[in-house]
Amino acid sequence: MRILVTGGASGIGAAVCRHLDGIGWTAVPADLHAPEGGLALDTRDEAAWESALDAAGPLDGLVNCAGIRSRSGITELDLADFQKMLDVHVIGTFLGIRGMARRWSAQGRTGAVVNIASVVATHAVAGQIHYVAAKGAIAAMTRAAAVELAPVGARVNAIAPGIIRTPMTADRLTDPDQTAWLMSRVPAGRPGEPEEIATAVAFLLSDAASYVNGALLPVDGGWMAS
């Protein structure tokens, strides 16, 4: 299995690459700045997507993990920041799914896509309207793509991570007040680790999940259940 992983230079994306390589698959990491052994990819750029998908070679799967995060109240949020959040997450995910679907069709192949959404796709929080909107759109696109691509044998699923210990969450997990608030939302009482997302990604990519399509799988310590 050969899998392209966006956002593969750090955090969840890097953990996914390590895990896939560890189970004998080939992970091709892609990020804004090319990681070692990987590709440069700005997920907002259509031409960059085409180049990366061609360079990665025939692929069995795609993990749309590239992302950014910032916090701002509605009244203070700039339109440019809102647009950038949508471009990185929503446009990037769409271009990846479309590019894979086109290539699988042309090659007579099929495969699986896993999109990284978030618990906030369904459980909104304050101060992140742009992030909530972007992750909600990823969840909706996952369902739409799953329905459309199922007849040709392709599967599209998403994972909804809760609070995961990554560079993106480091500022919150080193703030006692923020940590206390976050843990109050998590019945498990602890942050998740990137490797816990990676194992779920591998499952959804694998034949073991052959009848799983259009799902939003929480990996959140119980956040979405509470």
Side-chain angles (χ1 to χ4, degrees):
M1 294 273 281
R2 186 173 178 85
I3 313 295
L4 179 66
V5 182
T6 72
S10 66
I12 291 172
V16 169
C17 290
R18 290 192 300 270
H19 183 75
L20 298 184
D21 287 337
I23 61 175
W25 297 1
T26 300
V28 182
D31 215 305
L32 195 58
H33 302 291
E36 183 177 353
L39 303 169
L41 173 63
D42 182 342
T43 61
R44 301 169 294 178
D45 187 324
E46 184 174 14
W49 262 111
E50 293 299 301
S51 296
L53 289 169
D54 288 342
L59 293 164
D60 301 293
L62 168 67
V63 181
N64 282 308
C65 189
I68 58 174
R69 188 169 192 163
S70 63
R71 296 174 58 79
S72 178
I74 294 172
T75 56
E76 293 80 31
L77 182 62
D78 291 334
L79 177 58
D81 291 332
F82 192 99
Q83 186 68 59
K84 182 178 180 181
M85 189 70 69
L86 295 185
D87 287 347
V88 170
H89 291 269
V90 183
I91 298 301
T93 298
F94 161 70
L95 290 173
I97 295 172
R98 187 189 69 177
M100 287 305 311
R102 285 177 171 176
R103 283 162 177 77
W104 284 334
S105 177
Q107 297 161 2
R109 296 164 59 91
T110 190
V113 176
V114 178
N115 301 318
I116 303 301
S118 169
V119 293
V120 304
T122 59
H123 290 54
V125 295
Q128 299 179 68
I129 190 170
H130 50 336
Y131 187 74
V132 171
K135 292 302 189 177
I138 288 174
M141 280 198 297
T142 297
R143 295 190 296 271
V147 169
E148 186 167 345
L149 298 178
V152 297
R155 296 183 299 107
V156 185
N157 290 290
I159 288 176
I163 184 68
I164 306 299
R165 198 186 307 276
T166 68
M168 193 178 290
T169 60
D171 61 330
R172 304 190 74 187
L173 290 176
T174 54
D175 180 320
D177 292 336
Q178 286 288 312
T179 300
W181 181 85
L182 288 166
M183 292 305 98
S184 74
R185 306 291 294 267
V186 182
R190 66 169 178 87
E193 301 297 334
E195 291 74 19
E196 293 175 295
I197 306 300
T199 56
V201 168
F203 165 69
L204 290 176
L205 290 169
S206 75
D207 290 341
S210 60
Y211 203 54
V212 181
N213 199 19
L216 178 64
L217 174 64
V219 185
D220 64 353
W223 182 314
M224 290 173 66
S226 63

